Structure formats: C-alpha cells, structure tokens
C-alpha cells in the first residue's frame, strides 16, 4: 500500500525528521522529531489519513519526550 513512501512524503511536507519501517508483524514503526505542533500534525496524519490504500486499525505512540537537539537531519525509510 506504499504506506512508508507516503509517510516519508508527508513528513517532509510537514517538516519533521526521523524514520519509518515495516515490522515483521505487518505493522509500521518509526520515530518522528520536530517542533511539537509539527509532530502533532504528523501523528494526526498517521492516525487518520495514511496512504490512499492503507487501513489504519490503531496507532500507538510511545516514549514521547522533549529533546533539546534533533537526532536526524531528514526523514527516511528504513529497511
């Protein structure tokens, strides 16, 4: 369903950094970093929109914390 590709595109449009990858369980995992309002926009997109062919059953955001410096310089797909 190209979820990772659409996620990468949306992250770059919103202006967040991090990564996304498929898991062996058929789900998607990743990390998003950026200003709180941009991260919240990305979380909303991941929870409610996704790729055109995706079916989002649920989302789980964990380990949320405030950081002083971004750990990534862009948003990428991991394999």
């Amino acid at each position: 369903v190209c979820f990772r590709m659409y996620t990468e595109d949306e992250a770059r449009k919103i202006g967040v950094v991090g990564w996304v990858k498929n898991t062996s369980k058929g789900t998607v995992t990743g990390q998003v970093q950026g200003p709180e309002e941009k991260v919240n926009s990305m979380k909303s997109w991941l929870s409610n929109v996704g790729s055109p062919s995706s079916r989002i059953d649920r989302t789980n955001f964990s380990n949320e914390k405030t950081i002083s410096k971004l750990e990534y310089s862009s948003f990428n797909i991991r394999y």
Side-chain angles (χ1 to χ4, degrees):
V1 295
C2 300
F3 191 85
R4 293 170 304 157
M5 181 185 72
Y6 280 94
T7 300
E8 181 182 40
D9 288 345
E10 189 65 20
R12 290 181 176 175
K13 284 180 200 169
I14 290 173
V16 293
V17 297
W19 55 269
V20 64
K21 72 176 184 176
N22 287 342
T23 70
S24 59
K25 298 177 183 176
T27 63
V28 177
T29 189
Q31 189 172 87
V32 175
Q33 296 179 351
E36 184 176 6
E37 67 277 2
K38 290 183 178 185
V39 169
N40 287 339
S41 292
M42 189 67 195
K43 287 167 60 177
S44 177
W45 184 89
L46 289 165
S47 299
N48 302 301
V49 182
S51 66
S53 300
S54 65
R55 186 187 83 227
I56 301 168
D57 293 327
R58 74 182 168 94
T59 53
N60 179 28
F61 300 104
S62 60
N63 301 322
E64 293 186 55
K65 61 184 176 183
T66 300
I67 57 174
S68 58
K69 182 181 174 195
L70 298 176
E71 299 171 24
Y72 306 99
S73 58
S74 62
F75 196 95
N76 298 93
I77 297 172
R78 290 188 176 178
Y79 298 94

